[in-house]
Amino acid sequence: MIRINDDLKEKIRNFGLPRIIIAAFLVILFIMAPFVGVSMSASLSDIFNRFGQNELLTLAMIPMILSGTGLNFGLSLGVIGGLLGSTMAMQFGLTGWAGISGAILLSIPFAVFLGWLYSLLLNRVRGDEMTIALYVGFAAVMFMSIMWLVLPYTSDNMVWGYKGKGLRTTITLDGYWVHQLSDFFAIHIGNNFEFPTGMILFCVVCSFIMWLFMRSRTGTAITAAGSNPDYARASGINVNKMRTISVIISTVVGAVGILVYQQSYGFIQLYQAPLYMAFPAVAAVLIGGASINKASIANVVIGTILFQGILTLTPSVINSILQTDVSEVIRIVLSNGMILYALTRKTGVTR
């Protein structure tokens, strides 16, 4: 009996008590939902969509965590790369699969360049990467808020109509690539449930590629550089180069992630919209079991499901109980609460 209890305690310790509490709360919400009139099919559809929208943004955390560069609070740089790619694809008139494929291809060079510049700075501020990354992300968003007004876009679907220059705050993707991935082999059951097959498959493929890369020679060198830099140098590994590669990959994945996010929502948001996009991704990967120096694909999947599941079901259940719409207030409180919890929990474990 004692052995069973010890085994159970070990399993709880390995999985993490906070994650068990969050998962239990999510299960309770699922149980309560039908009794308060919440459509389970609509809620599940929303959770699947939110998972697909956010999984790649969370996945972007892995390379930098494993390289010892810390949590990527500068994810906004990748988002900006994606925004540049998508707006350029719209400027060129690309639509459908050519549109989203072109947006991805156009985003990658911007993300690589921004990631390279970002890595040069982070390699100079060892120990303070996350603090500097936060400032870099905020500064980049503010700089681009000016650039969106002066860049030479001319498409009538994007520029302010009464001025003829400067991009709108919100740009619809109707007629371009709205739901291009989400609707690909989508599964519809009844009137409320829709499984975004294409978007989920895209996330699975990207996650598998990341899993393979982190087990390649370069990926192993990145992990070695992050876990023990002195030993890595003694083994002939260029630690700065590995850190640079990890930052670039993280930025590129973030750029692709925002494109997946956009096509699902059906519009592009510019100016200050990317300002806080790093925080939900950071919170999700930490809630999933990662730390500032250790992360896995499982942490990304578990964390994204828990974070987005709570964020989806709680407002619906409480609205049905109170018979009033307080969903936005609840969503803000929950989101900020989970982010605050994730950022204040002990994350400094050793590998």
Side-chain angles (χ1 to χ4, degrees):
M1 186 68 181
I2 296 175
R3 185 176 180 181
I4 294 175
N5 288 335
D6 289 342
D7 291 342
L8 182 60
K9 288 179 181 179
E10 184 64 24
K11 290 179 180 178
I12 292 174
R13 190 180 300 111
N14 290 337
F15 189 74
L17 182 60
R19 280 180 294 287
I20 292 176
I21 294 172
I22 292 173
F25 181 57
L26 184 58
V27 171
I28 291 171
L29 289 174
F30 270 111
I31 295 172
M32 289 179 59
F35 294 100
V36 296
V38 174
S39 171
M40 284 303 301
S41 57
S43 297
L44 284 172
S45 179
D46 197 13
I47 289 173
F48 282 126
N49 273 290
R50 284 179 173 272
F51 173 83
Q53 291 161 4
N54 292 275
E55 199 265 351
L56 288 187
L57 294 173
T58 309
L59 184 69
M61 296 290 149
I62 288 184
M64 286 183 57
I65 290 175
L66 293 180
S67 71
T69 325
L71 300 164
N72 186 9
F73 284 101
L75 184 64
S76 299
L77 290 173
V79 172
I80 288 170
L83 294 175
L84 285 167
S86 57
T87 51
M88 286 184 65
M90 293 182 71
Q91 174 69 27
F92 295 150
L94 301 179
T95 61
W97 288 109
I100 192 166
S101 300
I104 291 173
L105 292 175
L106 289 167
S107 297
I108 290 174
F110 288 113
V112 170
F113 178 68
L114 291 172
W116 175 69
L117 291 178
Y118 183 28
S119 70
L120 294 180
L121 177 60
L122 294 184
N123 282 339
R124 287 180 170 271
V125 292
R126 290 177 183 274
D128 295 314
E129 291 96 340
M130 289 187 285
T131 303
I132 299 301
L134 189 62
Y135 285 112
V136 169
F138 278 31
V141 171
M142 294 308 173
F143 174 74
M144 287 306 299
S145 294
I146 299 172
M147 296 305 295
W148 297 127
L149 292 172
V150 300
L151 289 172
Y153 290 96
T154 58
S155 173
D156 292 337
N157 295 322
M158 295 194 294
V159 298
W160 292 105
Y162 64 94
K163 292 181 179 179
K165 63 178 181 179
L167 293 178
R168 301 171 190 169
T169 304
T170 302
I171 302 171
T172 180
L173 287 173
D174 286 338
Y176 289 93
W177 55 85
V178 62
H179 298 162
Q180 193 70 42
L181 286 171
S182 301
D183 289 346
F184 182 69
F185 286 125
I187 299 172
H188 298 269
I189 301 176
N191 296 324
N192 296 322
F193 181 80
E194 177 183 352
F195 184 79
T197 308
M199 181 167 60
I200 298 298
L201 283 176
F202 187 80
C203 291
V204 169
V205 170
C206 290
S207 298
F208 182 66
I209 292 172
M210 178 69 76
W211 182 84
L212 287 178
F213 173 76
M214 295 314 300
R215 280 155 180 76
S216 68
R217 185 174 181 178
T218 302
T220 303
I222 286 174
T223 304
S227 60
N228 194 329
D230 293 333
Y231 177 80
R233 289 191 191 92
S235 302
I237 296 173
N238 187 328
V239 173
N240 279 351
K241 181 180 178 181
M242 294 303 106
R243 285 164 59 97
T244 296
I245 292 173
S246 73
V247 174
I248 290 174
I249 292 173
S250 180
T251 309
V252 169
V253 175
V256 176
I258 194 61
L259 295 175
V260 175
Y261 187 96
Q262 289 170 358
Q263 64 81 36
S264 180
Y265 266 103
F267 53 80
I268 298 172
Q269 282 194 305
L270 303 176
Y271 299 96
Q272 295 187 33
L275 201 58
Y276 298 104
M277 293 206 73
F279 289 96
V282 168
V285 76
L286 292 178
I287 288 173
S291 69
I292 60 173
N293 55 15
K294 183 180 180 181
S296 67
I297 304 296
N299 298 144
V300 170
V301 174
I302 293 171
T304 306
I305 291 174
L306 291 178
F307 190 93
Q308 298 302 326
I310 295 291
L311 213 58
T312 299
L313 271 180
T314 307
S316 300
V317 171
I318 292 181
N319 282 347
S320 297
I321 293 173
L322 299 180
Q323 296 296 312
T324 185
D325 187 7
V326 290
S327 56
E328 193 57 33
V329 174
I330 295 171
R331 190 169 286 113
I332 291 172
V333 171
L334 280 173
S335 177
N336 290 340
M338 284 191 287
I339 290 170
L340 183 62
Y341 155 73
L343 295 180
T344 54
R345 63 184 286 265
K346 184 179 179 181
T347 57
V349 301
T350 57
R351 287 179 286 182

